[in-house]
Amino acid sequence: NLPALLEQVTRTAESLCAGKGLHFQFVGESLPPEISLSTDSLKRALFNLIDNAISYSPSHGTVTLRAWKTDSGNVNPPMLCFCVEDDGAGFSAEALAHATDEFYRADSSRGSREHFGLGLSITRKLAAEQGGTLQLSNKPSGGACVTLSFPLIK
């Protein structure tokens, strides 16, 4: 049940963001009511991305979770996509190339808690186990955008 899963993710993310003085928003478009993905793996992947966005966002910034389904077209299957965006500095060129590598740490002083460079690596593996992909980019206006995409199998 995708709407129930996203409602749970949103409630938890709002609470986590409030603890750092951040705003959380969810934007969903054309979402299927049900999916055949592992709920636990999807939640863990989304929470890894949301946790990273919270860690890299300045106070009073916004963390956004976008979710949408692509059109199938004639060649590709429809995809279910999730993008977590933040208002931080975004990824450096080096981080765009290596941030999904195990133990990669762009900045060892990123916050008050320990950071081991595993979150994006784990998320990439969770996505791959479900036939999905993880893609890193920067928003034109600044900040990071991390996108999970999964083929929708009927």
Side-chain angles (χ1 to χ4, degrees), residues 12-25 50 53-54 61-64:
T12 303
E14 286 172 340
S15 177
L16 293 170
C17 283
K20 190 179 172 188
L22 299 171
H23 174 69
F24 179 81
Q25 68 178 7
I50 291 167
I54 290 170
T62 300
V63 172
T64 303

Side-chain angles (χ1 to χ4, degrees), residues 21-32:
L22 299 171
H23 174 69
F24 179 81
Q25 68 178 7
F26 170 74
V27 179
E29 301 173 17
S30 305
L31 297 173

Side-chain angles (χ1 to χ4, degrees), residues 42-119:
L42 180 56
K43 281 196 301 190
R44 184 169 181 195
L46 290 173
F47 283 130
N48 279 348
L49 299 183
I50 291 167
D51 183 59
N52 271 1
I54 290 170
S55 294
Y56 282 102
S57 289
S59 292
H60 308 294
T62 300
V63 172
T64 303
L65 170 60
R66 298 185 190 283
W68 69 96
K69 182 184 111 183
T70 65
D71 291 330
S72 61
N74 293 331
V75 179
N76 297 320
M79 301 291 284
L80 179 60
C81 304
F82 301 92
C83 179
V84 176
E85 301 174 345
D86 65 48
D87 291 336
F91 292 102
S92 67
E94 179 184 349
L96 282 171
H98 298 288
T100 62
D101 297 345
E102 279 187 344
F103 306 113
Y104 176 80
R105 293 170 56 162
D107 180 5
S108 60
S109 62
R110 74 179 242 191
S112 61
R113 62 194 180 125
E114 286 296 317
H115 165 57
F116 298 104
L118 292 171

Side-chain angles (χ1 to χ4, degrees), residues 139-152:
K139 300 186 309 184
S141 59
C145 177
V146 182
T147 304
L148 284 167
S149 300
F150 300 95
L152 286 174

